[in-house]
Amino acid sequence: MKRRALMSVSDKSGILEFARELVKMDVEILSTGGTRKHLEDNGVPTTAVDEVTGFPEILGGRVKTLHPLIHGGLLAKHDDNEHQQQMDDNGIAPIEFVCVNLYPFRETISKPDVTVDDAIENIDIGGPTMLRSAAKNHAYVTVIVDSGDYEAVLAELREQQTTSPELRRKLAAKVFRHTAAYDAYISNYLTDLTDEQYPEQLTLTYELSQALRYGENPHQKAAFYKSALGSDFSIAHAEQLHGKELSYNNIQDANAALQIIKEFTMPASVAVKHMNPCGVGTGNTLSESFKKAYEADSTSIFGGIVALNREVDLETAQQLSQIFLEIVIAPSFTEEALAELGKKKNIRLLTVPFETKRRDKWNTVTVEGGLLVQEPDAFGYEDAEIRVVTERQPTEQELEALKLGWSVVKHVKSNAIVVCDESMTLGVGAGQMNRVGAAAIALEQAGEKASGAAMASDAFFPMSDTVETAAKAGIKAIIQPGGSKKDQESIDAANAHGITMVFTGVRHFKH
């Protein structure tokens, strides 16, 4: 019996060449709709599926391959006598090759003006059914969902007139990954439409972006996956213009830097080390902002990651090139800036679309055996109900400093303290087991600059000791959530030292 291949693809890249090679091997091509027309128009002979089934396409093409004469040919075991007898009794011929890919559902819902009706119409039914049937029966059927696999199939056919069990299983596994991802896009889209906050099952799908040389440490294997429908304003969708491949730690640090730079609208620069900011600066120009970020901690920035929220010009590039940096992230680089920074062989230069509107709805963190899901911490200074709880009111300059500190401290690992003035950080205390310890680190780093500066805390003061520590260093303004049973002790201490203190009512723990 003549060998048969079933073809129905939305992605037509490479399909003509693949079909022509199969025809040379005396394989009959069964096809439908647009795929059949594409093949026939280019001289590839085909047999229409409705000629095989004796039943026309109906319901606007919704039903065309869902038929026993098709699925019997896909699911029959070729070495099972009972199956073969039933095939003969019902006039069913086996289908040995299946080349199918699906309606572009993901691409459809990615359009900003997509309608629900348009999305629903792009849910493929027949395609996944054929793919799953063929993949289940991969002991006998070669199933291809990715045009990149055409050549591997042809190579084995040329060499041995059939495909190996190993290749068929590999292709079948890819099919089930593909259909699982396809169903995940559909289920998540419909779940979002119903406003179901915590569905009983959560199915997430990611695409391999790159295999990494190693993970956090050289003995750990690692890879980077990205969400196809995730935020464009992300490292996952960054374009690398220069430098060596990103590492696992680079990606983590770059993500941290990008989340901080999102807080600022005026020219700003953020330097990150080990996922914590070591320096943040703002200014009238990008160059001025980077100068301040560098001066905030000129030691820790060495080997760090820098994110900037304006196009990098030559002046800023010259400043950046004076120190060793792993990564520079920006909306764009001028040609002169790119040439200047490109003199450094290994520095990674990334651009990210700062103007994008699409952001992730949820943050996810894996724990052994499970997954934590939460909304992103999008609460900012403008969202807070600022309440001055001390006798002294903050000056305009102090308010600007408090605003900057509050914008930065939410991105520092808890317990977190940030000391700053109105345009730059002066000291950062991160990841300490107690708040006084975090304050001591931040104040020590700030040194004499702490006198007259502001302090931001990610959570409330459980007692007055942090205020007392701040007062000794000369801090004049404090911003914190409030909410402790002993808030009054901290307020009294602030009043005693002439410190103005602001409550926001919202904490910013970051674990």
Side-chain angles (χ1 to χ4, degrees), residues 2-6 22-23 26-30 45-47 52:
K2 191 167 186 177
R3 304 164 87 183
R4 299 196 301 170
L6 176 58
L22 290 184
V23 169
D26 202 28
V27 175
E28 179 185 6
I29 307 295
L30 311 183
T46 67
T47 300
V52 176

PDB file of all heavy atoms in Angstrom, residues 2-6 22-23 26-30 45-47 52:
ATOM      1  N   LYS A   2       0.439   2.250  -0.763  1.00  0.00           N
ATOM      2  CA  LYS A   2       1.220   3.474  -0.874  1.00  0.00           C
ATOM      3  C   LYS A   2       1.277   4.193   0.452  1.00  0.00           C
ATOM      4  O   LYS A   2       0.292   4.282   1.182  1.00  0.00           O
ATOM      5  CB  LYS A   2       0.592   4.380  -1.936  1.00  0.00           C
ATOM      6  CG  LYS A   2       1.467   5.559  -2.335  1.00  0.00           C
ATOM      7  CD  LYS A   2       0.939   6.225  -3.589  1.00  0.00           C
ATOM      8  CE  LYS A   2       1.902   7.305  -4.072  1.00  0.00           C
ATOM      9  NZ  LYS A   2       1.450   7.934  -5.329  1.00  0.00           N
ATOM     10  N   ARG A   3       2.443   4.696   0.774  1.00  0.00           N
ATOM     11  CA  ARG A   3       2.616   5.447   2.023  1.00  0.00           C
ATOM     12  C   ARG A   3       1.923   6.800   1.895  1.00  0.00           C
ATOM     13  O   ARG A   3       1.889   7.403   0.813  1.00  0.00           O
ATOM     14  CB  ARG A   3       4.097   5.636   2.317  1.00  0.00           C
ATOM     15  CG  ARG A   3       4.851   4.322   2.381  1.00  0.00           C
ATOM     16  CD  ARG A   3       6.342   4.529   2.282  1.00  0.00           C
ATOM     17  NE  ARG A   3       6.958   4.790   3.579  1.00  0.00           N
ATOM     18  CZ  ARG A   3       8.250   5.065   3.738  1.00  0.00           C
ATOM     19  NH1 ARG A   3       9.060   5.149   2.692  1.00  0.00           N
ATOM     20  NH2 ARG A   3       8.731   5.272   4.938  1.00  0.00           N
ATOM     21  N   ARG A   4       1.397   7.294   3.026  1.00  0.00           N
ATOM     22  CA  ARG A   4       0.644   8.540   2.980  1.00  0.00           C
ATOM     23  C   ARG A   4       1.144   9.499   4.067  1.00  0.00           C
ATOM     24  O   ARG A   4       1.548   9.093   5.161  1.00  0.00           O
ATOM     25  CB  ARG A   4      -0.853   8.283   3.185  1.00  0.00           C
ATOM     26  CG  ARG A   4      -1.470   7.394   2.128  1.00  0.00           C
ATOM     27  CD  ARG A   4      -2.994   7.483   2.139  1.00  0.00           C
ATOM     28  NE  ARG A   4      -3.554   7.092   3.428  1.00  0.00           N
ATOM     29  CZ  ARG A   4      -4.843   7.253   3.771  1.00  0.00           C
ATOM     30  NH1 ARG A   4      -5.689   7.822   2.911  1.00  0.00           N
ATOM     31  NH2 ARG A   4      -5.286   6.869   4.940  1.00  0.00           N
ATOM     32  N   ALA A   5       1.081  10.793   3.719  1.00  0.00           N
ATOM     33  CA  ALA A   5       1.418  11.853   4.664  1.00  0.00           C
ATOM     34  C   ALA A   5       0.267  12.843   4.707  1.00  0.00           C
ATOM     35  O   ALA A   5      -0.303  13.191   3.665  1.00  0.00           O
ATOM     36  CB  ALA A   5       2.700  12.563   4.246  1.00  0.00           C
ATOM     37  N   LEU A   6      -0.085  13.289   5.903  1.00  0.00           N
ATOM     38  CA  LEU A   6      -1.148  14.272   6.079  1.00  0.00           C
ATOM     39  C   LEU A   6      -0.528  15.613   6.434  1.00  0.00           C
ATOM     40  O   LEU A   6       0.241  15.719   7.399  1.00  0.00           O
ATOM     41  CB  LEU A   6      -2.099  13.828   7.192  1.00  0.00           C
ATOM     42  CG  LEU A   6      -3.226  14.784   7.580  1.00  0.00           C
ATOM     43  CD1 LEU A   6      -4.115  15.104   6.381  1.00  0.00           C
ATOM     44  CD2 LEU A   6      -4.058  14.188   8.705  1.00  0.00           C
ATOM     45  N   LEU A  22       9.058  14.169  -0.174  1.00  0.00           N
ATOM     46  CA  LEU A  22       8.224  13.001   0.127  1.00  0.00           C
ATOM     47  C   LEU A  22       7.604  12.436  -1.150  1.00  0.00           C
ATOM     48  O   LEU A  22       7.530  11.205  -1.326  1.00  0.00           O
ATOM     49  CB  LEU A  22       7.126  13.375   1.121  1.00  0.00           C
ATOM     50  CG  LEU A  22       7.564  13.689   2.554  1.00  0.00           C
ATOM     51  CD1 LEU A  22       6.342  13.957   3.433  1.00  0.00           C
ATOM     52  CD2 LEU A  22       8.380  12.547   3.159  1.00  0.00           C
ATOM     53  N   VAL A  23       7.162  13.320  -2.035  1.00  0.00           N
ATOM     54  CA  VAL A  23       6.580  12.863  -3.296  1.00  0.00           C
ATOM     55  C   VAL A  23       7.603  12.069  -4.099  1.00  0.00           C
ATOM     56  O   VAL A  23       7.289  11.033  -4.718  1.00  0.00           O
ATOM     57  CB  VAL A  23       6.037  14.053  -4.106  1.00  0.00           C
ATOM     58  CG1 VAL A  23       5.675  13.624  -5.529  1.00  0.00           C
ATOM     59  CG2 VAL A  23       4.822  14.654  -3.413  1.00  0.00           C
ATOM     60  N   ASP A  26       7.687   8.584  -3.312  1.00  0.00           N
ATOM     61  CA  ASP A  26       6.419   7.917  -3.609  1.00  0.00           C
ATOM     62  C   ASP A  26       5.465   7.947  -2.425  1.00  0.00           C
ATOM     63  O   ASP A  26       4.751   6.977  -2.156  1.00  0.00           O
ATOM     64  CB  ASP A  26       6.659   6.471  -4.067  1.00  0.00           C
ATOM     65  CG  ASP A  26       5.475   5.928  -4.875  1.00  0.00           C
ATOM     66  OD1 ASP A  26       4.783   6.747  -5.518  1.00  0.00           O
ATOM     67  OD2 ASP A  26       5.230   4.708  -4.830  1.00  0.00           O
ATOM     68  N   VAL A  27       5.448   9.059  -1.716  1.00  0.00           N
ATOM     69  CA  VAL A  27       4.513   9.251  -0.621  1.00  0.00           C
ATOM     70  C   VAL A  27       3.361  10.115  -1.128  1.00  0.00           C
ATOM     71  O   VAL A  27       3.575  11.152  -1.742  1.00  0.00           O
ATOM     72  CB  VAL A  27       5.198   9.940   0.577  1.00  0.00           C
ATOM     73  CG1 VAL A  27       4.167  10.245   1.681  1.00  0.00           C
ATOM     74  CG2 VAL A  27       6.314   9.076   1.131  1.00  0.00           C
ATOM     75  N   GLU A  28       2.122   9.674  -0.864  1.00  0.00           N
ATOM     76  CA  GLU A  28       0.937  10.441  -1.250  1.00  0.00           C
ATOM     77  C   GLU A  28       0.673  11.511  -0.198  1.00  0.00           C
ATOM     78  O   GLU A  28       0.696  11.241   1.000  1.00  0.00           O
ATOM     79  CB  GLU A  28      -0.281   9.517  -1.363  1.00  0.00           C
ATOM     80  CG  GLU A  28      -1.565  10.245  -1.747  1.00  0.00           C
ATOM     81  CD  GLU A  28      -2.783   9.336  -1.735  1.00  0.00           C
ATOM     82  OE1 GLU A  28      -2.655   8.167  -1.311  1.00  0.00           O
ATOM     83  OE2 GLU A  28      -3.868   9.807  -2.121  1.00  0.00           O
ATOM     84  N   ILE A  29       0.403  12.719  -0.650  1.00  0.00           N
ATOM     85  CA  ILE A  29       0.155  13.835   0.253  1.00  0.00           C
ATOM     86  C   ILE A  29      -1.349  14.064   0.382  1.00  0.00           C
ATOM     87  O   ILE A  29      -2.027  14.354  -0.612  1.00  0.00           O
ATOM     88  CB  ILE A  29       0.823  15.138  -0.248  1.00  0.00           C
ATOM     89  CG1 ILE A  29       2.318  14.927  -0.533  1.00  0.00           C
ATOM     90  CG2 ILE A  29       0.595  16.266   0.765  1.00  0.00           C
ATOM     91  CD1 ILE A  29       3.138  14.611   0.670  1.00  0.00           C
ATOM     92  N   LEU A  30      -1.871  13.951   1.613  1.00  0.00           N
ATOM     93  CA  LEU A  30      -3.246  14.336   1.915  1.00  0.00           C
ATOM     94  C   LEU A  30      -3.203  15.738   2.516  1.00  0.00           C
ATOM     95  O   LEU A  30      -2.348  16.028   3.360  1.00  0.00           O
ATOM     96  CB  LEU A  30      -3.887  13.379   2.916  1.00  0.00           C
ATOM     97  CG  LEU A  30      -3.782  11.877   2.666  1.00  0.00           C
ATOM     98  CD1 LEU A  30      -4.542  11.114   3.750  1.00  0.00           C
ATOM     99  CD2 LEU A  30      -4.305  11.519   1.281  1.00  0.00           C
ATOM    100  N   PRO A  45       1.510  17.552  -6.162  1.00  0.00           N
ATOM    101  CA  PRO A  45       0.206  16.875  -6.244  1.00  0.00           C
ATOM    102  C   PRO A  45      -0.285  16.463  -4.858  1.00  0.00           C
ATOM    103  O   PRO A  45       0.482  16.009  -4.014  1.00  0.00           O
ATOM    104  CB  PRO A  45       0.497  15.649  -7.108  1.00  0.00           C
ATOM    105  CG  PRO A  45       1.960  15.383  -6.922  1.00  0.00           C
ATOM    106  CD  PRO A  45       2.603  16.741  -6.726  1.00  0.00           C
ATOM    107  N   THR A  46      -1.575  16.648  -4.618  1.00  0.00           N
ATOM    108  CA  THR A  46      -2.155  16.297  -3.319  1.00  0.00           C
ATOM    109  C   THR A  46      -3.498  15.599  -3.514  1.00  0.00           C
ATOM    110  O   THR A  46      -4.105  15.661  -4.592  1.00  0.00           O
ATOM    111  CB  THR A  46      -2.390  17.545  -2.455  1.00  0.00           C
ATOM    112  OG1 THR A  46      -3.400  18.352  -3.050  1.00  0.00           O
ATOM    113  CG2 THR A  46      -1.120  18.352  -2.266  1.00  0.00           C
ATOM    114  N   THR A  47      -3.939  14.978  -2.463  1.00  0.00           N
ATOM    115  CA  THR A  47      -5.291  14.423  -2.403  1.00  0.00           C
ATOM    116  C   THR A  47      -6.037  15.151  -1.297  1.00  0.00           C
ATOM    117  O   THR A  47      -5.530  15.269  -0.170  1.00  0.00           O
ATOM    118  CB  THR A  47      -5.258  12.917  -2.081  1.00  0.00           C
ATOM    119  OG1 THR A  47      -4.524  12.226  -3.096  1.00  0.00           O
ATOM    120  CG2 THR A  47      -6.671  12.351  -1.979  1.00  0.00           C
ATOM    121  N   VAL A  52     -10.896  11.549   0.673  1.00  0.00           N
ATOM    122  CA  VAL A  52     -10.648  10.341   1.455  1.00  0.00           C
ATOM    123  C   VAL A  52     -11.859  10.005   2.316  1.00  0.00           C
ATOM    124  O   VAL A  52     -12.304   8.850   2.402  1.00  0.00           O
ATOM    125  CB  VAL A  52      -9.402  10.529   2.342  1.00  0.00           C
ATOM    126  CG1 VAL A  52      -9.183   9.307   3.247  1.00  0.00           C
ATOM    127  CG2 VAL A  52      -8.170  10.765   1.481  1.00  0.00           C
TER     128      VAL A  52
END
